[in-house]
Amino acid sequence: MKLKKTYVQKPRKWKKNLYENHGFLDNYTDTSFLEELRKNLNVKDSPLPTIILGAGRVTHELCIIVLFTVIFVYLYNGWVEPEAVFMYSGCLTSLGYILYRFFLTAAMPYTTLLKDLRTVLVFLGFGYVLSPVLKTLTDTISTDTIYAMSTFMMFIHLVFFDYGISASIVSSALSLNAALFASVCLASRLATPFHAFVLLTNTVECFALLPILVAEIEDSAVILSTVILLSLVALCTVSVTMTVLFSCVVIFVTIICPLLFKKWTRYKENIYGPWDEAVVEDQEM
Amino acid sequence: MITVMIFIPRDLYDKDSCLLYGNFALSSRGNIAIFYVLQLLQNVKERSSINLTHVGQYNKSETSYANVANRSINWLTVGNKYNDLFVKTLVVQGETVNMTSPKIIFITYDLPIFINTELLFFTACEREMENDENYFRTLMYNIKYCYTNISNTNQKTSKRIILFVLEYLILFLNWVLAGFVVLLPVLKLSSLCIRLHNSLESFRWALDGQIYHKSSKLKIGNYVVATLVDIISGYLILYWFMSLVSSTLPSQLLLHSAEEVVHTLQELLKWLMGIPAGLKLNFAFNKMLGKFFVYHINLWWTFLVLAEPVLDFIFFIFLCFGRLGLTFQAAILADLLALASFHVYCIYVYAARLYNLQISGLLALWRLFLGRKKNPLRGRVDSCEYTANQLFIGTLAFTILLFLLPTTFMYYIVFSTLRLLVSALAGLLIRIQFLLQAVPLYTLCMWLLKSTSVSSSLHMKVQTRKSGVPLVLSMTPVRGSLWKTIKKSIPDPVKKPSAIMWGSLLKSIVTGQLIYPM
């Protein structure tokens, strides 16, 4: 059955509502269709160095993990005395603390001195008291399981770490806890409780205190390259295969991924329009 | 159109004439009139103190009595023609009713049998909510009400003396039971004391029921037969037991078996401290726990050895009580079992509490691991900003608890199983006691012999169904289903042990809550 055509002229314009469009077919598409569509409103085309430095944060964290593992290997094989490790890492930490408190933050350093001292004492005290227990915890578990668990936990640490970008997957508590768990697993393989205590102190310094310092420092190519070089050199002394693998990963993460990211920006297609959810912002009244 | 139902005792057929005493009822809609005739008397002087109204008269011959109909509101005159009952005059609510219009139904019943049945009354009373116009129920109720109020004034002197003594016995029992109730929190631990308390209560209940006619004869009969069976079987078993162990001292026997148990437990702990079932448990923790438990067992064993002379005395008391019946022996066995497995109970409590602590700690620390915290105000789990201190200590504690869990779990499982076994045995003994008390031998015999005292339903038979003559039905009580009869005749003080809740039991085992005997 044919649709009965109406004889009403159609000089009127089609309006975007439901009650005024007599005479138009039901599937009529006006020329003003989707004229409010906007594409890629918020895309910032950053220059390549910025992207590389952003990816460098991940590499930075990866290098810290590698350095930590190297320290463990040295302690495990007995290539270095635990007292030496303790002293050196202690000195570095104090330097970092002074740097943080006096140069980078604006607040009065002396008010928080007592609180920081208390934090340090808690770390050292509990670590020292619990290290004999921690050393015997995983005696009966095979070494392979320990290594696998540590690797898995360090991976979780990398995934959930707070890189300074707001994302919902970030959970700084989980990343710190995962790193601590991994180090406790490794600590049980060492020779004496003092070794375990030293490793635990190193963990706290690397994963709990260092991120606070790093968050205050801006991205800098100099620091990044220093850290990468340091970890490559350290890894060289342990195993050449690992160095090669590690350098491959570093090149991939720091250079190849940003290049790809920059290249593929033109495929980005975010659409915005009046149909988006309203974003309510706080306003000072 | 009015219907008249007349309940009449069957010994009407044997009499020539008599006065009918009973009650009258009218249905709510006014179309059914019911006459309950509960007593047949020859003359007015025979009337006892029962509160019944004079509802009519009966005579076989044609001659009639002086017409007293004018004085009563509801009146019935019954006649008998060729052994068919019929109604001569009928007055309902003050109006004489024309004999042609109403439908008349006679229901004859055997009065002495009905007085004796108890279950019929109870069954009828159960359906109180269902049918308000249950005429049979009203009949039973009336019979019960009238005939159980017969006082004992015409009794012999000897019976009176016995009753007097029994009443004093009941008073004494009340006093003893009151004392028991005061000491109940302490005595609850020993199943022998509970059994003694129960048996004294049942005895008091039976005496009460018999003297003051408070409970049914069936229940008391059941109680007496069950107790007799109990005592006789108890004596038999005791005789057999004494013949077995006449050579050794009973306390030596007990000590010997307790020593066996202790040795087995020590072997078990040594096995756990090594490599149980091929699992490698944490060395230091394992050794510590094992040594702690072994110390406990040694302590208990020393206590038993020191208390040997007291054991002799206790055993002698047990033998005395054992003569009172099989249920008492079961209670004594339950007590001995609890005594012999006391150390298992202690170790189980330690292991369960440790496991519970560990599990709840792990759960809370797992939430900390993920960066979340339980919010008791909202009853949910929220994310929480922990400080680095808290995270550090929390993760260390989580690691320690997690790796020590297999050891604790091993000990918990082993001692939970032992405890469940002991509990199951104790539960079995309690149920044996219940069965022995509740076995309805008397009711079963009565039921098998088709005695009318266990009848719980009625059998109606048509006696006369001719045109022009009122319908005559006869009603006899018959026995009902065996299971219902048994259920109703269990003595009152006997309480069924509570059912086991399997769901909550499983939950308690998984979370480490303590299991109490069921």
Side-chain angles (χ1 to χ4, degrees):
Chain A
M1 201 169 95
K2 266 191 168 177
L3 267 175
K4 183 174 160 200
K5 274 212 171 137
T6 57
Y7 294 110
V8 177
Q9 292 294 327
K10 300 182 252 183
R12 292 183 289 184
K13 222 173 144 246
W14 180 89
K15 290 231 183 82
K16 195 179 172 189
N17 53 33
L18 290 172
Y19 51 86
E20 278 189 14
N21 300 322
H22 294 295
F24 289 99
L25 287 176
D26 281 343
N27 57 354
Y28 174 75
T29 314
D30 203 44
T31 44
S32 65
F33 183 59
L34 287 184
E35 67 181 359
E36 284 166 38
L37 176 74
R38 301 277 177 272
K39 283 201 185 175
N40 292 339
L41 278 179
N42 299 332
V43 170
K44 291 176 291 188
D45 204 6
S46 327
L48 189 61
T50 324
I51 304 179
I52 290 185
L53 283 176
R57 290 189 201 170
V58 180
T59 322
H60 179 92
E61 195 57 33
L62 189 61
C63 294
I64 301 286
I65 293 179
V66 162
L67 279 170
F68 171 74
T69 318
V70 166
I71 295 177
F72 166 71
V73 170
Y74 270 60
L75 280 174
Y76 184 62
N77 291 330
W79 295 340
V80 70
E81 294 299 320
E83 292 91 350
V85 176
F86 188 63
M87 297 285 271
Y88 284 127
S89 56
C91 292
L92 277 172
T93 316
S94 337
L95 270 172
Y97 175 69
I98 293 171
L99 193 71
Y100 177 72
R101 277 285 169 229
F102 287 94
F103 297 111
L104 291 175
T105 52
M108 284 298 295
Y110 299 107
T111 49
T112 53
L113 196 67
L114 223 63
K115 238 174 67 174
D116 293 336
L117 203 66
R118 186 169 148 252
T119 315
V120 164
L121 276 175
V122 163
F123 284 147
L124 287 178
F126 269 91
Y128 194 65
V129 163
L130 288 177
S131 41
V133 179
L134 291 174
K135 194 188 128 11
T136 62
L137 269 183
T138 54
D139 266 348
T140 53
I141 303 182
S142 75
T143 319
D144 292 333
T145 321
I146 297 276
Y147 288 161
M149 252 195 322
S150 301
T151 319
F152 180 63
M153 282 299 162
M154 282 303 186
F155 182 69
I156 290 196
H157 166 79
L158 269 182
V159 167
F160 289 96
F161 188 69
D162 187 7
Y163 293 109
I165 301 170
S166 61
S168 59
I169 202 178
V170 164
S171 167
S172 52
L174 181 56
S175 66
L176 176 61
N177 286 339
L180 273 172
F181 190 83
S183 78
V184 167
C185 290
L186 289 174
S188 62
R189 291 284 142 219
L190 295 173
T192 72
F194 189 62
H195 282 81
F197 169 61
V198 166
L199 191 71
L200 209 58
T201 323
N202 266 20
T203 317
V204 166
E205 284 160 6
C206 290
F207 297 111
L209 302 179
L210 196 59
I212 307 177
L213 179 63
V214 165
E216 294 295 321
I217 301 178
E218 289 171 12
D219 293 332
S220 147
V222 176
I223 297 179
L224 183 63
S225 33
T226 326
V227 168
I228 295 178
L229 216 63
L230 200 67
S231 46
L232 274 172
V233 165
L235 204 51
C236 253
T237 58
V238 173
S239 144
V240 181
T241 335
M242 278 299 152
T243 320
V244 172
L245 277 172
F246 176 63
S247 44
C248 287
V249 169
V250 164
I251 291 172
F252 178 73
V253 170
T254 323
I255 298 176
I256 298 184
C257 281
L259 278 173
L260 288 173
F261 180 73
K262 184 113 175 107
K263 199 173 100 174
W264 291 337
T265 324
R266 59 194 173 93
Y267 293 124
K268 214 172 165 73
E269 202 172 311
N270 289 355
I271 32 182
Y272 299 90
W275 50 79
D276 280 338
E277 259 180 46
V279 174
V280 180
E281 282 164 9
D282 287 332
Q283 277 200 337
E284 290 286 333
M285 295 298 286
Chain B
M1 190 59 175
I2 196 168
T3 313
V4 180
M5 274 174 66
I6 305 165
F7 288 93
I8 252 185
R10 210 169 291 156
D11 26 338
L12 198 67
Y13 286 104
D14 304 329
K15 298 195 194 237
D16 275 335
S17 66
C18 58
L19 301 171
L20 308 173
Y21 275 82
N23 281 327
F24 172 81
L26 192 66
S27 77
S28 50
R29 272 184 282 173
N31 54 352
I32 307 180
I34 310 122
F35 282 89
Y36 299 102
V37 178
L38 298 167
Q39 220 181 11
L40 304 169
L41 298 173
Q42 289 299 120
N43 46 30
V44 192
K45 293 198 198 82
E46 274 177 29
R47 218 182 116 162
S48 47
S49 56
I50 309 173
N51 192 13
L52 291 172
T53 48
H54 191 180
V55 289
Q57 58 190 45
Y58 160 79
N59 51 15
K60 234 171 175 170
S61 59
E62 289 295 321
T63 59
S64 56
Y65 270 79
N67 203 358
V68 291
N70 297 330
R71 271 183 278 146
S72 329
I73 306 175
N74 306 302
W75 185 257
L76 179 72
T77 322
V78 182
N80 194 340
K81 209 195 234 170
Y82 309 120
N83 232 11
D84 291 332
L85 293 172
F86 68 97
V87 174
K88 284 190 206 162
T89 54
L90 182 64
V91 179
V92 172
Q93 301 290 86
E95 300 168 7
T96 317
V97 180
N98 194 351
M99 274 301 109
T100 50
S101 45
K103 282 194 288 194
I104 303 176
I105 305 175
F106 280 96
I107 302 181
T108 59
Y109 63 96
D110 210 345
L111 188 62
I113 294 182
F114 265 77
I115 294 173
N116 272 333
T117 62
E118 301 157 331
L119 287 181
L120 206 54
F121 175 61
F122 290 130
T123 331
C125 274
E126 264 172 33
R127 297 178 198 265
E128 219 164 305
M129 293 304 177
E130 283 180 30
N131 192 0
D132 239 345
E133 310 219 334
N134 192 339
Y135 313 121
F136 296 97
R137 173 176 72 87
T138 327
L139 173 70
M140 287 308 304
Y141 190 76
N142 284 332
I143 291 179
K144 202 83 190 158
Y145 181 66
C146 299
Y147 286 98
T148 47
N149 282 348
I150 297 174
S151 58
N152 303 328
T153 45
N154 311 332
Q155 282 177 333
K156 303 181 209 135
T157 338
S158 57
K159 224 178 172 182
R160 267 193 175 168
I161 293 175
I162 295 176
L163 274 174
F164 190 69
V165 166
L166 283 177
E167 276 176 24
Y168 265 96
L169 187 62
I170 291 181
L171 270 172
F172 173 67
L173 276 176
N174 280 339
W175 184 74
V176 167
L177 279 168
F180 251 103
V181 165
V182 163
L183 289 172
L184 199 62
V186 172
L187 295 178
K188 219 167 37 168
L189 299 167
S190 155
S191 51
L192 181 64
C193 294
I194 295 177
R195 180 77 199 99
L196 200 61
H197 175 73
N198 274 349
S199 71
L200 281 176
E201 242 185 47
S202 314
F203 189 51
R204 197 246 323 246
W205 166 81
L207 280 178
D208 248 349
Q210 187 57 31
I211 294 177
Y212 301 120
H213 296 283
K214 270 195 243 167
S215 358
S216 72
K217 288 210 191 62
L218 269 180
K219 291 189 184 176
I220 297 180
N222 264 339
Y223 166 73
V224 167
V225 168
T227 323
L228 278 173
V229 165
D230 200 8
I231 294 178
I232 292 174
S233 50
Y235 257 103
L236 283 173
I237 290 195
L238 208 63
Y239 184 66
W240 169 77
F241 184 66
M242 293 308 275
S243 69
L244 270 185
V245 294
S246 51
S247 50
T248 52
L249 269 175
S251 67
Q252 285 292 340
L253 200 71
L254 192 65
L255 222 59
H256 192 66
S257 42
E259 190 175 351
E260 287 281 324
V261 173
V262 163
H263 274 309
T264 322
L265 269 175
Q266 277 170 337
E267 287 297 308
L268 183 70
L269 278 171
K270 226 182 281 186
W271 175 73
L272 275 175
M273 288 203 315
I275 305 181
L279 296 165
K280 283 180 278 189
L281 307 172
N282 189 296
F283 185 71
F285 191 50
N286 200 356
K287 277 263 176 299
M288 184 191 87
L289 276 180
K291 283 212 177 102
F292 183 61
F293 293 147
V294 164
Y295 174 70
H296 261 85
I297 293 181
N298 285 340
L299 209 67
W300 178 247
W301 176 241
T302 322
F303 167 73
L304 271 185
V305 163
L306 282 177
E308 202 183 316
V310 184
L311 277 178
D312 265 333
F313 179 64
I314 290 178
F315 215 84
F316 176 68
I317 292 185
F318 280 170
L319 275 179
C320 278
F321 274 111
R323 290 203 180 88
L324 283 175
L326 198 55
T327 45
F328 278 90
Q329 286 171 3
I332 289 171
L333 259 177
D335 267 346
L336 284 176
L337 187 70
L339 208 68
S341 67
F342 188 64
H343 35 43
V344 174
Y345 179 62
C346 265
I347 299 180
Y348 163 74
V349 169
Y350 285 131
R353 289 249 183 266
L354 194 63
Y355 176 71
N356 191 16
L357 267 169
Q358 202 152 357
I359 289 281
S360 45
L362 261 177
L363 207 60
L365 287 173
W366 172 248
R367 286 190 217 114
L368 181 138
F369 196 85
L370 293 177
R372 313 177 82 189
K373 192 163 121 170
K374 183 157 187 189
N375 190 349
L377 185 64
R378 293 296 187 102
R380 64 178 187 206
V381 181
D382 291 329
S383 59
C384 172
E385 295 286 327
Y386 288 104
T387 63
N389 270 355
Q390 292 170 326
L391 285 177
F392 178 67
I393 301 172
T395 308
L396 283 187
F398 175 74
T399 325
I400 293 176
L401 283 181
L402 184 66
F403 285 117
L404 291 179
L405 190 65
T407 316
T408 319
F409 188 64
M410 228 15 240
Y411 276 91
Y412 177 67
I413 282 286
V414 166
F415 286 101
S416 280
T417 321
L418 284 174
R419 172 84 187 134
L420 272 176
L421 270 170
V422 170
S423 280
L425 272 172
L428 190 71
L429 282 171
I430 290 180
R431 277 159 184 82
I432 287 178
Q433 284 179 39
F434 166 70
L435 271 177
L436 280 170
Q437 279 180 285
V439 70
L441 271 178
Y442 178 69
T443 314
L444 195 65
C445 291
M446 287 286 134
W447 192 85
L448 283 174
L449 297 171
K450 296 195 185 171
S451 153
T452 47
S453 55
V454 291
S455 49
S456 52
S457 61
L458 295 166
H459 176 78
M460 308 275 283
K461 208 170 76 170
V462 173
Q463 264 192 306
T464 319
R465 202 159 107 196
K466 295 185 222 165
S467 59
V469 168
L471 176 70
V472 179
L473 302 165
S474 75
M475 192 163 73
T476 36
V478 287
R479 60 179 192 182
S481 87
L482 180 61
W483 184 239
K484 280 197 196 142
T485 320
I486 285 179
K487 265 210 295 203
K488 284 206 194 66
S489 55
I490 294 181
D492 284 333
V494 173
K495 282 169 271 228
K496 193 169 178 212
S498 51
I500 307 172
M501 290 173 292
W502 296 103
S504 64
L505 185 68
L506 206 63
K507 187 163 170 272
S508 310
I509 294 178
V510 167
T511 52
Q513 315 272 1
L514 290 178
I515 302 171
Y516 291 105
M518 36 221 165

